[in-house]
Amino acid sequence: SMIVKQARTVDIALAAATCGYDAVYVDLEHAVISESDAAQICITAANIGVTPLVRVPGLSAAAITRILDAGALGVVAPHIESADEARGVVAAARFAPLGERSVAGSWPHFHYRTLPAAEVRRVLNAQTMVVCMLETPAAVARADEIAAVPGVDVLHIGSNDLCDALGIPGQFDHPDIARAYDTVVAACRRHGKTPGAGGLGGSLDVARAAIGQGIRFVTAGNDWAFMISAARQRASQLRQLDPEQFGSDQQGAV
């Protein structure tokens, strides 16, 4: 999944599809993208075969329901610490009998067609993803009980915050992080859920190791980091060229 932190237009969904991503993950926790812009990105993504996910800024039912009604097909719930918090997210994201999601009057997911109410609820319950982020040692220790909650699809380790909580900021290859991955992967296997992790986009070695441990839902970096990386690489490449190739009046200009 490509995390979206800076882009505000639907073009980022098209770019994600072109670049081979399965999903876009609009971050409303750490970015100031509006809900309206996030909804437009989600609707575009869904219509071109890219799964639209949104990391909500908190665990309120209003925040979860509003963005799902607007076009998202999944929520990433940050800072889940217990099974009770996971159950609250499921209640907001899924219709009865799985949850308590409030009913909107129309649905962009179905191109605003009028469909049987029972069919709409069945399809949205089946197609909406609930991702619970585990970002502290206490949350990882409770991975088994969180994975056991009906309606949770993915347990996703927030590696950046977990590293900070463990006192090893930025050390994604630390043995304590590997042990956390093992714990979450084992819990997911016991309960038929998908294990995930973020913070892997910066190092192929770290990503390879995590995938080897069983991590399957991977956030592969964000739009701004991709732009900075590519822009830095292009500037470096141009500066290494023979200055004469730029012409005498353009030497050093990039």
Side-chain angles (χ1 to χ4, degrees), residues 43-66:
I43 291 169
T44 301
N47 278 278
I48 60 172
V50 176
T51 301
L53 309 174
V54 174
R55 176 156 62 179
V56 289
L59 304 182
S60 74
I64 293 168
T65 303
R66 192 160 55 234

Side-chain angles (χ1 to χ4, degrees), residues 5-244:
K5 298 175 74 74
Q6 299 291 339
R8 303 295 198 274
T9 66
V10 300
D11 306 88
I12 193 64
L14 302 173
T18 293
C19 293
Y21 287 84
D22 300 304
V24 290
Y25 165 155
V26 185
D27 186 356
L28 299 188
E29 182 192 15
H30 291 294
V32 292
I33 298 173
S34 71
E35 284 182 312
S36 178
D37 288 339
Q40 294 301 303
I41 293 169
C42 286
I43 291 169
T44 301
N47 278 278
I48 60 172
V50 176
T51 301
L53 309 174
V54 174
R55 176 156 62 179
V56 289
L59 304 182
S60 74
I64 293 168
T65 303
R66 192 160 55 234
I67 200 63
L68 289 175
D69 288 351
L73 277 173
V75 290
V76 181
H79 308 293
I80 295 295
E81 291 286 318
S82 67
D84 282 343
E85 288 183 346
R87 278 189 282 268
V89 175
V90 171
R94 301 198 186 280
F95 297 105
L98 297 176
E100 303 169 359
R101 179 173 170 181
S102 182
V103 179
S106 59
W107 310 95
H109 313 73
F110 301 102
H111 297 186
Y112 298 103
R113 295 192 299 269
T114 299
L115 298 169
E119 180 69 3
V120 167
R121 287 150 182 74
R122 184 190 68 77
V123 171
L124 287 179
N125 268 350
Q127 297 298 322
T128 296
M129 182 182 293
V130 173
V131 180
C132 290
M133 293 194 71
L134 312 185
E135 303 178 77
T136 66
V140 171
R142 299 186 187 110
D144 196 74
E145 63 186 70
I146 295 170
V149 173
V152 168
D153 298 299
V154 178
L155 266 59
H156 185 66
I157 296 176
S159 302
N160 281 293
D161 281 332
L162 182 58
C163 281
D164 278 11
L166 290 167
I168 51 171
Q171 298 181 49
F172 303 114
D173 57 352
H174 194 281
D176 286 349
I177 296 298
R179 280 190 285 271
Y181 291 168
D182 283 339
T183 298
V184 171
V185 168
C188 287
R189 285 175 175 166
R190 279 191 292 273
H191 297 284
K193 307 300 169 69
T194 299
L200 309 181
S203 169
L204 285 179
D205 288 339
V206 170
R208 185 179 295 109
I211 292 168
Q213 288 179 256
I215 295 297
R216 290 295 177 267
F217 174 78
V218 177
T219 50
N222 67 73
D223 53 352
W224 190 244
F226 294 151
M227 191 280 286
I228 292 290
S229 177
R232 181 184 294 117
Q233 181 184 44
R234 179 57 57 87
S236 175
Q237 290 170 340
L238 290 174
R239 289 191 183 281
Q240 291 174 28
L241 297 176
D242 185 342
E244 292 182 3

